[in-house]
Amino acid sequence: MGGALLAVGSMSWAVAQWLLVWMFARFAGGADAVGEYALVLSIATPVFTVAQFGLRTVYLSLRVEYPWRTYLTLRVIGTTAATALLIAYFVATEAADPAVWAALLAVKVADLFFDLWQARIQRTNRLAALGVLNIANSVGTIALAGVALATTGSVAVALAASALVSIGVALAGRQLAASRPSESHGDRGYREILRAGAPTTVSESLAAFASYLPVLVLSLLADETLVGVFAAAAYILTFANLVGAILKNVLITPFRQTLESVGEDHVRHRAHRLALGLGAASSVAALTVALFGGPVLRVIYGPEFEMPEVPLILLAVAVIPIASSYIYSTFLNVTHRFSGQAWIWVLALTIGILAGAISAVVGVGPLETACAVALASSWARFGGALILACRR
């Protein structure tokens, strides 16, 4: 029951993020507004991912328990550094409206602390409570952002409203996490936590960069309007990644318990079965996107958001291996193969950048180039994860 509620809560957050994009498209400036939001998100997310230091994964994976204060101190240090760096970047480059990026940074800061408190709650298997918090976050975000857009038509005000909800939910998560008894391990564990988290930090940061690489590439080749068109369509990739992340969060504890009770081979076989099933389901979804995606995008977002057939097919094929990749990532985490995942993302980024460079050189259009980057990096990631997971 708890796991199901956590999955529903996490899925509701994915839906809320999509609804934000939809509202920006319909009520706040169309493709230009979506493009500006997507560009700021693509810059801020990888930086804040580095600032996480992989603490959630480390906290849930390490068998040795270190003081909670250590994790909290590291989160404060990382968040402060990331926020300062991004403020300096946006002020120096004037890449976006200051009100937009300031509001988004507030959302990200709140989400980083909520992420850590979720780990503490999850460690005691209070999954239902996490699900309720995520549902509250999603419903509150859409309600307040919707009111803000209806009254002002401003992306910045809508994001500020979302930030208020994120802060409130983070404070509620802090209160719930505080009910867990403090760990009694004498060593503060800064060095050990950072050492364990370093490969995770690298891999998660590369993962975030790879996820937003198509948007960053497209921003170099086209204006915000085309970026907005791509970002709206590419939300199918974001949704697939969020589904995979949900599964990862739900499965990491049972995978670890299976590993401890019956061994690594049983976890590997379970991962293969889940990955195969998800791949089949994703293939059906990809076919649906390829056949009906164009008209659906036009109806949902508006006429300016309809995507040509070729880039849409490329996006659809890119979707297929994403969720399955997260299953193997979970397996690699519980078997402590953190550094291997970093190399998987190096491979994905390298292949993705090469695909983008080749597409640009041969004169492929900007949208096709961005979609080729997404497809190449997606399948390279899956191939690397599968190979590493099969190694004993």
Side-chain angles (χ1 to χ4, degrees):
M1 176 63 181
L5 192 55
L6 175 60
V8 170
S10 300
M11 285 292 290
S12 72
W13 182 240
V15 173
Q17 296 307 294
W18 172 77
L19 283 174
L20 273 180
V21 172
W22 176 78
M23 288 190 296
F24 294 160
R26 284 294 191 179
F27 309 117
D32 286 344
V34 174
E36 182 178 40
Y37 171 69
L39 182 59
V40 174
L41 198 63
S42 68
I43 295 168
T45 300
V47 176
F48 275 112
T49 303
V50 175
Q52 291 178 0
F53 296 144
L55 294 182
R56 180 169 183 168
T57 298
V58 171
Y59 186 80
L60 290 171
S61 300
L62 281 183
R63 296 183 178 91
V64 177
E65 293 192 3
Y66 294 105
W68 174 247
R69 182 179 295 274
T70 301
Y71 288 92
L72 190 58
T73 300
L74 290 172
R75 179 51 46 98
V76 170
I77 292 171
T79 303
T80 302
T83 303
L85 178 63
L86 285 166
I87 290 174
Y89 172 81
F90 284 119
V91 169
T93 62
E94 299 181 352
D97 180 354
V100 171
W101 61 253
L104 186 59
L105 293 189
V107 173
K108 286 293 186 181
V109 168
D111 287 347
L112 248 65
F113 283 97
F114 183 44
D115 174 77
L116 187 60
W117 287 317
Q118 284 188 89
R120 200 176 199 203
I121 298 166
Q122 185 175 350
R123 182 121 183 184
T124 56
N125 285 323
R126 290 178 287 174
L127 303 183
L130 285 183
V132 170
L133 284 174
N134 280 305
I135 292 171
N137 198 8
S138 305
V139 174
T141 293
I142 293 306
L144 264 68
V147 170
L149 279 175
T151 55
T152 69
S154 168
V155 171
V157 175
L159 288 174
S162 176
L164 291 176
V165 177
S166 295
I167 292 169
V169 172
L171 291 174
R174 177 190 179 191
Q175 189 66 30
L176 187 58
S179 64
R180 186 180 194 270
S182 298
E183 292 81 356
S184 58
H185 196 283
D187 188 352
R188 291 182 181 180
Y190 286 102
R191 182 178 300 176
E192 291 78 9
I193 291 170
L194 288 173
R195 183 185 298 118
T200 302
T201 301
V202 172
S203 61
E204 290 181 350
S205 302
L206 292 172
F209 184 45
S211 296
Y212 289 100
L213 180 62
V215 171
L216 294 171
V217 169
L218 187 57
S219 69
L220 299 175
L221 303 174
D223 58 17
E224 284 185 349
T225 300
L226 203 57
V227 171
V229 172
F230 173 81
Y235 202 81
I236 59 173
L237 302 180
T238 303
F239 185 77
N241 276 291
L242 288 170
V243 169
I246 292 167
L247 291 171
K248 180 178 179 180
N249 288 335
V250 170
L251 290 171
I252 189 168
T253 298
F255 269 27
R256 190 182 70 240
Q257 292 170 344
T258 302
L259 176 68
E260 293 171 351
S261 61
V262 292
E264 182 177 311
D265 283 341
H266 286 78
V267 185
R268 182 182 291 105
H269 292 153
R270 185 177 181 183
H272 285 323
R273 290 195 300 271
L274 288 170
L276 183 61
L278 285 169
S282 297
S283 297
V284 174
L287 181 61
T288 304
V289 169
L291 292 175
F292 307 109
V296 170
L297 288 172
R298 184 179 65 249
V299 170
I300 293 175
Y301 294 110
E304 65 180 322
F305 286 90
E306 184 170 5
M307 181 173 276
E309 183 177 334
V310 171
L312 193 59
I313 291 173
L314 294 176
L315 272 183
V317 176
V319 167
I320 295 173
I322 291 176
S324 298
S325 298
Y326 277 91
I327 300 299
Y328 290 122
S329 175
T330 307
F331 170 77
L332 296 173
N333 278 337
V334 299
T335 54
H336 291 184
R337 302 185 198 182
F338 301 121
S339 59
Q341 294 202 66
W343 287 110
I344 290 171
W345 284 113
V346 169
L347 174 66
L349 275 170
T350 302
I351 299 299
I353 291 171
L354 282 174
I358 292 171
S359 298
V361 167
V362 300
V364 173
L367 273 177
E368 288 80 2
T369 297
C371 294
V373 170
L375 185 151
S377 59
S378 174
W379 280 94
R381 172 196 176 189
F382 173 75
L386 175 61
I387 291 171
L388 192 58
C390 288
R391 293 178 59 186
R392 286 176 167 77

